[in-house]
Amino acid sequence: MVVLLVLGFLLLVPFASAADYILTATSSDQFRSGIHYTGKDDLTLEIWENVTIDSTSGTGIDSIVPVIIRSPQGKTLTVRVRNDTGVLFGITAPSVSVESGNLDITVTGNIDGEKGLACGIYSSAGNVTVSGGSVSTTVETTGHKNKGIYASRYIIISGGRVNATQQGGANTFGLDGGNADIKKTDTGVQVTGGYIQVHSAGGRARNIGIDSKFGTVDISGNTVLVIRTDGSGSQQNYAFNPVITTIHGGGT
């Protein structure tokens, strides 16, 4: 694997059949301002030591292929994005999977209230999957939409801890599954385990905990789910849309 530093981002170009990058405190200077991955093989980030990415561009981690995050040592990857551009992402990739370790994402900025979008984790073509470890997202901008976790297909949580806090702007969404532009019904949010806490507040129009515009929300198993919203939204304030949500088992 060859590691090149390009324009403040770490550009990873793999020559093996898989791209496995180890994050340590000693190597953190190479990717302190962000990771931009353009390889053909799925990218695995292994967190061996506590590491911080502090990006002043629009993205903390950007990949054109699926990203897998794990830390058998239980260490923490902190991603901070602070910018005033129109679109901000803590992590963006076709799909994102968190298997172990701790992921702590904060996205802030003064962005367009009519078109601006900010997401802690953004899946552009597939799923966001959390099977272990912990994921914490804090998204607070002046934008049109502030989202903790977005997936174009499904958000799938089977274990671990998820804490999504989104504040301000026009609309806040905690967990949002499904591509509204193409109106796919086989999308949404599937929760079968873990501890999930969502806090959506301060949105002028909407404050929504869990949503899927055209898909479904299914909550089952031994899930513990805590959702908080405030009444600031002029159009909608709800924990989850009862029309598309099924809850069997678990606790809310």
Side-chain angles (χ1 to χ4, degrees):
M1 179 180 296
V2 175
V3 180
L4 301 174
L5 189 63
V6 178
L7 297 178
F9 281 88
L10 183 69
L11 178 62
L12 306 180
V13 183
F15 291 94
S17 59
D20 192 340
Y21 196 72
I22 295 172
L23 305 184
T24 67
T26 56
S27 63
S28 63
D29 285 343
Q30 300 172 348
F31 51 81
R32 186 177 301 279
S33 60
I35 294 176
H36 178 59
Y37 180 73
T38 59
K40 295 181 179 180
D41 301 301
D42 291 1
L43 172 63
T44 298
L45 298 177
E46 293 206 15
I47 313 164
W48 283 21
E49 296 177 325
N50 295 335
V51 169
T52 297
I53 291 173
D54 201 344
S55 174
T56 56
S57 70
T59 305
I61 298 174
D62 173 17
S63 173
I64 65 172
V65 296
V67 173
I68 301 168
I69 297 171
R70 63 169 67 113
S71 176
Q73 298 84 358
K75 299 300 183 179
T76 299
L77 171 60
T78 300
V79 179
R80 301 190 188 103
V81 176
R82 290 172 286 188
N83 195 277
D84 293 338
T85 59
V87 179
L88 303 175
F89 301 124
I91 298 176
T92 177
S95 65
V96 179
S97 178
V98 179
E99 299 178 351
S100 59
N102 306 299
L103 184 59
D104 187 356
I105 300 172
T106 300
V107 179
T108 57
N110 182 21
I111 63 177
D112 190 337
E114 297 296 326
K115 299 179 181 179
L117 170 66
C119 294
I121 299 177
Y122 182 91
S123 160
S124 59
N127 303 328
V128 173
T129 303
V130 180
S131 57
S134 71
V135 176
S136 176
T137 63
T138 300
V139 181
E140 183 173 0
T141 78
T142 57
H144 181 61
K145 294 180 181 179
N146 290 318
K147 299 185 179 186
I149 300 176
Y150 168 81
S152 62
R153 291 204 68 240
Y154 281 101
I155 296 173
I156 301 171
I157 301 173
S158 60
R161 299 177 68 91
V162 175
N163 188 336
T165 300
Q166 36 290 323
Q167 173 77 31
N171 305 278
T172 69
F173 298 84
L175 310 181
D176 187 17
N179 189 331
D181 293 335
I182 57 176
K183 301 182 180 181
K184 287 183 69 66
T185 57
D186 58 334
T187 60
V189 180
Q190 296 180 345
V191 179
T192 60
Y195 181 95
I196 300 98
Q197 181 167 297
V198 177
H199 187 197
S200 298
R204 296 188 304 274
R206 297 176 180 86
N207 294 289
I208 299 173
I210 300 178
D211 193 37
S212 177
K213 189 168 185 178
F214 295 102
T216 59
V217 175
D218 188 272
I219 301 168
S220 63
N222 296 319
T223 304
V224 176
L225 182 63
V226 179
I227 303 177
R228 299 183 179 91
T229 63
D230 70 3
S232 62
S234 60
Q235 299 177 41
Q236 293 174 328
N237 299 279
Y238 58 76
F240 47 80
N241 187 343
V243 176
I244 61 170
T245 302
T246 301
I247 300 176
H248 42 98
T252 59

